[in-house]
Amino acid sequence: PIEQVPVDAADHVVVLPYSSGTTGLPKGTMLTHDNLVVNLLQCDYVDGRFWEAGKDVIISPLPFFHIYGFMYSVHIAAHNGCTLVTMPRFDMEVFCQLVETHKATRAHLVPPITLGLAKSPLVDQYDLSSLKMITSAAAPLGAEIETAARDRLGHGVSIKQAWGMSELSPLGTCVPDDALKNNSGTVGPPCAHTSIKVVDLETGEALPQGEEGEFCVKGPQVMQGYLDLPDKTRECLTEDGWLMTGDIAKIDADGYVYITDRLKELIKYKGFQVAPAELEEVLCSHPGVADATVIPVEDDEAGELPRAYVVRKTDDVTEDSVSAFVAERVAPHKKLRGGVVFIDAIPKTASGKILRREVVAMDRGE
């Protein structure tokens, strides 16, 4: 006979996903049975309830060791009785073939793949008309890229964003199918039973709507803490349960959240804050740029300068043309004064997040 092991759903850790480590060493996030069950229901209400069992086909090229694919793709698909099409690794042509063959209706993607749908010539070679909804998460997706992908695919496909972290089991916000914003770029309102606020980077005081600051979340899906790292836990989890996410965000009048950058990745130019994600969005809107990332480089006078690493789509793209393109579209303190460097590929995690620390190390010759 199988012995039943007593389980305290509120306190017993059931999975230990590790944060992606884009800014440092990965940390084990302690998630309980309650964390996962609650977040599954939160995911289901904001997204899964729009899926039709026996009709919707979800394609997810995500790695399932990552909490996004593990919960958002695998568990919601099983919960709703929908077909899930998976991939051992992402390949744009294979992805397009699978959408066409299996008539996938919904896709769970990350920004680099969404960017590929906006720019890759392979898209025109396959019938992707079955797709009716694309969800992008794991990293910010710029409004221009979101719009470009939607326009490129056509046939009435919708693209929405969700936001979360391993520390949140993972979902914190998501745009519901029936409440898509007319304007793009938002990761949606908070999911059920979740409180949110934006606080001043210096004082920690809550800010009014529309102002940018650190994004904070509180809810039943918040982790217990980091495994064997009580000091790191205290750095991000307050005594009254607020998770300091390290993301820079603003909240509009409807409660929709806009993630603008990572706190640790802000570039300080003469006291001004420069968000790499904003510059990356501008760079990726350039017709001759396939992908890009922005890092800080030290400068004796200014403190830090933004430098772009760019993957060219066409050979006629030059450093001067890229710098001029950005300068026309941003405030003076955000110009690429650190220069433009061309590279074959931007290093990223399996979940699609840019590994800036690797680019920084490369830039330093390490």
Side-chain angles (χ1 to χ4, degrees):
I2 298 175
E3 181 182 352
Q4 178 63 49
V5 177
V7 173
D8 184 336
D11 293 325
H12 284 189
V13 174
V14 61
V15 293
L16 195 65
Y18 275 71
S19 64
S20 57
T22 54
T23 56
L25 293 175
K27 300 177 288 292
T29 55
M30 298 188 290
L31 303 180
T32 67
H33 294 267
D34 274 0
N35 285 150
L36 295 193
V37 171
V38 165
N39 202 236
L40 173 60
L41 296 176
Q42 290 170 318
C43 292
D44 194 57
Y45 181 76
V46 76
D47 194 48
R49 66 188 170 100
F50 300 106
W51 303 7
E52 294 186 67
K55 294 183 179 180
D56 269 317
V57 176
I58 291 83
I59 183 167
S60 177
L62 305 171
F64 294 153
F65 61 78
H66 188 273
I67 193 73
Y68 175 17
F70 176 72
M71 283 292 290
Y72 201 76
S73 297
V74 174
H75 283 80
I76 307 182
H79 182 66
N80 287 283
C82 293
T83 299
L84 177 64
V85 179
T86 69
M87 297 176 66
R89 68 177 184 84
F90 180 75
D91 177 276
M92 179 58 78
E93 186 164 16
V94 174
F95 174 80
C96 293
Q97 290 173 347
L98 290 172
V99 171
E100 180 179 271
T101 300
H102 296 282
K103 304 299 180 188
T105 57
R106 307 179 77 96
H108 294 167
L109 307 180
V110 292
I113 300 176
T114 310
L115 175 64
L117 291 175
K119 298 203 171 191
S120 174
L122 289 169
V123 170
D124 298 325
Q125 300 176 24
Y126 295 90
D127 179 8
L128 308 184
S129 60
S130 61
L131 278 178
K132 62 182 182 181
M133 178 63 72
I134 292 172
T135 300
S136 180
L141 177 67
E144 289 192 17
I145 298 172
E146 184 180 330
T147 301
R150 186 186 300 112
D151 293 344
R152 174 78 180 286
L153 293 172
H155 65 260
V157 65
S158 296
I159 299 179
K160 67 179 186 178
Q161 295 192 56
W163 171 90
M165 307 171 68
S166 298
E167 292 85 345
L168 285 168
S169 309
L171 193 67
T173 72
C174 182
V175 180
D177 281 20
D178 60 354
L180 298 175
K181 275 274 191 179
N182 291 328
N183 56 320
S184 303
T186 178
V187 295
C191 50
H193 299 287
T194 301
S195 301
I196 60 173
K197 65 180 178 179
V198 169
V199 301
D200 186 276
L201 299 181
E202 301 295 333
T203 67
E205 296 296 319
L207 296 172
Q209 69 181 46
E211 292 193 22
E212 288 189 3
E214 184 172 6
F215 188 45
C216 305
V217 179
K218 185 177 182 179
Q221 72 272 46
V222 174
M223 66 170 181
Q224 281 195 327
Y226 294 122
L227 179 67
D228 298 330
L229 294 171
D231 291 341
K232 292 292 184 182
T233 299
R234 283 191 292 271
E235 285 178 11
C236 71
L237 199 56
T238 67
E239 291 185 1
D240 55 351
W242 284 99
L243 179 69
M244 313 294 288
T245 69
D247 280 329
I248 304 299
K250 60 183 179 181
I251 305 171
D252 71 11
D254 298 320
Y256 279 63
V257 178
Y258 296 77
I259 303 294
T260 57
D261 220 308
R262 287 287 298 170
L263 176 59
K264 294 180 180 178
E265 293 168 354
L266 287 176
I267 299 169
K268 297 292 183 66
Y269 171 77
K270 292 185 176 180
F272 291 97
Q273 294 179 344
V274 180
E278 178 187 353
L279 294 178
E280 288 161 0
E281 180 182 349
V282 174
L283 285 162
C284 288
S285 69
H286 189 298
V289 171
D291 203 357
T293 189
V294 175
I295 64 166
V297 291
E298 293 183 2
D299 181 80
D300 291 338
E301 181 182 343
E304 292 178 328
L305 302 175
R307 175 175 292 169
Y309 272 75
V310 172
V311 179
R312 280 186 282 206
K313 189 176 181 181
T314 55
D315 292 335
D316 59 344
V317 177
T318 65
E319 294 179 28
D320 289 343
S321 67
V322 171
S323 293
F325 180 85
V326 172
E328 292 172 359
R329 290 162 174 79
V330 300
H333 66 275
K334 298 179 181 179
K335 292 180 180 180
L336 295 173
R337 289 181 169 83
V340 176
V341 179
F342 294 112
I343 191 174
D344 292 333
I346 306 297
K348 295 174 182 176
T349 67
S351 61
K353 292 182 180 180
I354 296 172
L355 286 166
R356 292 187 210 276
R357 58 190 172 85
E358 289 194 7
V359 183
V360 170
M362 184 192 316
D363 189 78
R364 294 173 178 170
E366 298 175 0

